Amino acid sequence: MSGLPHSPHALVTGGGRGIGRAIAAALVGAGATVTIIGRNAQVLDEAVNDGAAHFGAVADVANETALKAAIAEAHARRPIDILIANAGSAESAPFAKSDSALFARMMNINFMGVVHSIHGVLPGMKDRPYGRIVVIASTAGLKGYAYVSAYVAAKHAAIGLVRSLALELAGSSVTVNAICPGFTDTDLVAGSIDNIMKKTGRSREQAIAELAKHNPQGRLIAPEEVADAVLWLCGQGASAITGQAIAVAGGEI
């Protein structure tokens, strides 16, 4: 019994594009009913129309009130069995220029967004016979990178939360894990590539190579590779896997 239970309801934050959309599509393909949450209604509608999800709801994960309302609406449709806390954002700056506002933005999106998401689903999930919480963190939650100290700090915090919450919920049917991708071929990384090109005058190919060099395989990770790891964690055969931070990074970690 390694697959998903019969037609679970999965909620994916940041599910309209990139890694989130790949995860949503993989869950749909495995038989889940999928609700995606994001900030852009048009992007969500496109994902639903393309069959990558069944329902979409507009909310910013950093806005606790709006997010909990969106989760409550999804739960009213069907109880939520799977949470993929994927929504995130990255900003780069030297530490000396990383002011408190930058740290607050990174913590609000990448850490408190996870907290708000879990708070929204856990009351209805923990007493059910099956539950999965998967946080999409980053290799930045397992090591340091220069010039993204606020982002790294937020991702480390998210992994700490995963490890603690997994112990609290170990007596239930809910598992809590993190997936930590390396640099992945998404819109978010495309922004980093553009930033490298702008600051260094390098070509796009050179900028991609600059990021890919962190991966011993010498490439960017595909969103579908992250989705495959998530699908495994959501399977019934992974019920003993909890409190883990699993790198999908070509051997970087």
Side-chain angles (χ1 to χ4, degrees):
M1 293 178 56
S2 59
L4 300 182
H6 179 67
S7 190
H9 186 190
L11 182 76
V12 183
T13 67
R17 54 164 57 98
I19 291 173
R21 176 167 169 152
I23 292 169
L27 287 165
V28 168
T33 297
V34 178
T35 298
I36 53 175
I37 291 178
R39 294 180 294 182
N40 188 314
Q42 180 179 347
V43 169
L44 297 176
D45 289 343
E46 289 173 355
V48 171
N49 291 337
D50 290 344
H54 297 96
F55 305 98
V58 177
D60 185 338
V61 296
N63 183 328
E64 182 178 9
T65 301
L67 180 62
K68 286 190 174 180
I71 292 174
E73 180 181 339
H75 178 81
R77 190 181 303 118
R78 276 188 60 189
I80 296 166
D81 304 289
I82 298 169
L83 168 67
I84 311 300
N86 165 76
S89 179
E91 295 182 45
S92 61
F95 177 77
K97 295 183 178 180
S98 300
D99 59 15
S100 58
L102 172 57
F103 271 86
R105 285 194 301 273
M106 292 297 92
M107 290 298 292
N108 284 339
I109 296 170
N110 296 299
F111 176 63
M112 290 309 301
V114 174
V115 172
H116 299 328
S117 299
I118 296 174
H119 273 155
V121 304
L122 192 56
M125 183 187 291
K126 65 183 180 180
D127 295 325
R128 292 172 59 76
Y130 161 90
R132 296 289 185 268
I133 296 171
V134 182
V135 176
I136 306 303
S138 167
T139 50
L142 299 172
K143 60 177 285 187
Y145 293 95
Y147 305 109
V148 284
S149 55
Y151 176 75
V152 168
K155 290 298 188 179
H156 271 70
I159 290 176
L161 173 64
V162 163
R163 289 170 172 160
S164 293
L165 186 57
L167 294 176
E168 286 193 29
L169 297 176
S172 74
S173 62
V174 180
T175 65
V176 189
N177 291 287
I179 293 291
C180 301
F183 286 103
T184 306
D185 191 6
T186 63
D187 292 346
L188 185 63
V189 168
S192 297
I193 291 169
D194 290 340
N195 195 36
I196 291 171
M197 292 169 62
K198 180 180 178 181
K199 290 186 175 180
T200 67
R202 295 176 182 175
S203 68
R204 179 165 297 276
E205 292 72 20
Q206 289 171 324
I208 292 172
E210 178 65 23
L211 298 181
K213 74 179 185 181
H214 294 282
N215 182 334
Q217 294 179 337
R219 64 182 180 88
L220 298 179
I221 301 299
E224 292 76 15
E225 293 177 293
V226 182
D228 282 350
V230 170
L231 205 59
W232 170 66
L233 284 176
C234 292
Q236 296 180 90
S239 60
I241 312 300
T242 194
Q244 303 305 302
I246 300 170
V248 180
E252 180 184 352
I253 298 290

